[in-house]
């Protein structure tokens, strides 16, 4: 069962990468991640750790957080349901060689016409289907992050998010996709742009922290991020509803 389920997930992840093709940039990684009938238990564990932790980047990272119930209990008014799109940089030898975390991006908006009581699975499925059509085709929609901050504000429709992008045109391309899912018309007058004269190193330099040399934080990297998951957050639920998941790490609505 493990051979079938794990290898099927690997094949879906490495779409377009031929089997046993070491000439392809990801060929060696695919070979290393696929289980074989002759693998020992130790080898199976090593291959799975390589796939999920190194390539997929699922190794838990330290976070600042509070339990969901504690957070919700501190809110005087229950929040409107929130749709969240999550994007992440692909694995690369450059990241591994420089010990860099993958760049991530999140875009979210509120369903202002819904409440925790009114939202239901039928509506969630419709949202998931639109997200799948707009963002999950092929290997997933990608866009280019950068140093330019572009904010889109449309409070009437529960939309307010900022993007760090390579250009304003790239921001508009992403915003239009988001609004297509939200079924809201695009209005260029709702865009604000913030430029910076700061420069951000491709690879952060090291500095001393607590008596040790550590690498600095990677800020506003110029790189592509790819859609891989969408969630629906509803007040009163302890965990988000997974709408779409290209990560193949759990069940989703579509």
């Amino acid at each position: 069962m493990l051979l079938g389920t794990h290898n099927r997930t690997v094949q879906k992840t490495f779409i377009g990468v031929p089997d046993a093709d070491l000439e392809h940039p990801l060929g060696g990684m695919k070979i290393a991640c696929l289980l074989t009938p002759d693998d020992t238990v130790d080898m199976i564990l090593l291959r799975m750790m390589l796939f999920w932790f190194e390539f997929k980047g699922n190794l838990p990272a330290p976070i600042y957080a509070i339990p969901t119930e504690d957070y919700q209990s501190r809110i005087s008014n229950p929040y409107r349901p929130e749709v969240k799109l999550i994007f992440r940089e692909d694995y690369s030898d450059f990241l591994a060689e420089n010990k860099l975390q993958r760049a991530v991006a999140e875009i979210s908006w509120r369903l202002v016409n819904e409440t925790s009581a009114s939202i239901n699975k039928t509506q969630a499925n419709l949202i998931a289907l639109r997200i799948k059509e707009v963002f999950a085709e092929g290997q997933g929609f990608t866009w280019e992050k950068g140093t330019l901050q572009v904010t889109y504000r449309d409070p009437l429709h529960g939309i307010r998010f900022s993007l760090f992008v390579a250009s304003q045109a790239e921001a508009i391309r992403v915003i239009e996709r988001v609004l297509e899912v939200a079924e809201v018309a695009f209005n260029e007058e709702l865009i604000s742009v913030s430029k910076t004269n700061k420069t951000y190193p491709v690879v952060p330099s090291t500095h001393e922290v607590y008596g040790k040399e550590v690498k600095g934080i990677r800020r506003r990297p110029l790189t592509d991020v790819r859609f891989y998951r969408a969630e629906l957050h509803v007040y009163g639920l302890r965990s988000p509803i997974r709408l779409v998941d290209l990560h193949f790490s759990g069940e989703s609505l579509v």
Side-chain angles (χ1 to χ4, degrees):
M1 288 186 67
L2 187 58
L3 276 168
T5 56
H6 175 80
N7 284 352
R8 187 160 53 249
T9 301
V10 173
Q11 292 289 0
K12 288 180 179 178
T13 302
F14 288 91
I15 291 176
V17 181
D19 289 341
D21 182 5
L22 291 176
E23 297 299 322
H24 192 283
L26 292 177
M29 180 63 74
K30 181 179 181 181
I31 293 172
C33 291
L34 285 170
L35 302 181
T36 72
D38 297 329
D39 283 343
T40 62
V41 171
D42 288 343
M43 183 58 72
I44 287 173
L45 292 174
L46 284 172
R47 291 187 192 277
M48 294 183 71
M49 290 174 65
L50 174 68
F51 179 70
W52 289 110
F53 294 161
E54 177 66 20
F55 185 75
K56 282 289 193 179
N58 271 0
L59 189 65
I63 60 173
Y64 293 106
I66 60 174
T68 303
E69 291 178 347
D70 288 352
Y71 171 72
Q72 293 183 354
S73 68
R74 300 177 189 183
I75 300 175
S76 57
N77 295 313
Y79 55 76
R80 298 286 176 166
E82 178 189 38
V83 180
K84 180 179 291 186
L85 309 176
I86 305 172
F87 304 80
R88 191 173 63 178
E89 184 178 12
D90 289 342
Y91 169 88
S92 69
D93 291 338
F94 169 77
L95 295 178
E97 290 168 1
N98 291 282
K99 299 180 180 180
L100 298 175
Q101 294 291 327
R102 301 192 200 194
V104 296
E106 295 183 358
I107 301 173
S108 63
W109 69 94
R110 301 284 179 177
L111 304 178
V112 292
N113 295 322
E114 301 293 344
T115 65
S116 297
S118 66
I119 192 73
N120 56 53
K121 188 173 182 179
T122 299
Q123 293 166 308
N125 269 304
L126 291 174
I127 296 171
L129 287 171
R130 292 202 299 271
I131 293 173
K132 183 178 182 179
E133 181 180 342
V134 175
F135 286 101
E137 293 181 350
Q139 293 291 294
F141 176 79
T142 62
W143 53 280
E144 190 175 11
K145 284 177 64 70
T147 60
L148 183 69
Q149 183 177 15
V150 178
T151 302
Y152 191 82
R153 296 182 179 89
D154 186 352
L156 182 65
H157 296 102
I159 297 171
R160 184 189 184 283
F161 56 81
S162 293
L163 305 172
F164 288 103
V165 289
S167 67
Q168 185 171 336
E170 182 71 338
I172 292 175
R173 186 174 74 94
V174 177
I175 292 169
E176 288 178 336
R177 290 254 182 163
V178 174
L179 297 182
E180 184 179 347
V181 174
E183 297 185 309
V184 175
F186 173 71
N187 184 346
E188 194 165 3
E189 295 181 358
L190 301 180
I191 287 180
S192 61
V193 180
S194 176
K195 297 182 179 180
T196 179
N197 292 324
K198 291 184 178 180
T199 58
Y200 299 91
V202 175
V203 178
S205 59
T206 58
H207 57 281
E208 186 174 347
V209 176
Y210 200 60
K212 296 181 179 179
E213 288 294 316
V214 299
K215 193 178 292 294
I217 297 174
R218 189 185 183 203
R219 301 183 186 277
R220 301 196 188 189
L222 184 63
T223 186
D224 288 343
V225 289
R226 184 184 307 276
F227 170 79
Y228 81 102
R229 190 166 71 226
E231 301 172 343
L232 175 63
H233 294 252
V234 180
Y235 181 88
L237 294 182
R238 298 184 65 182
S239 301
I241 299 165
R242 192 165 297 187
L243 300 173
V244 183
D245 187 2
L246 294 186
H247 201 265
F248 308 112
S249 58
E251 291 186 1
S252 60
L253 292 186
V254 297

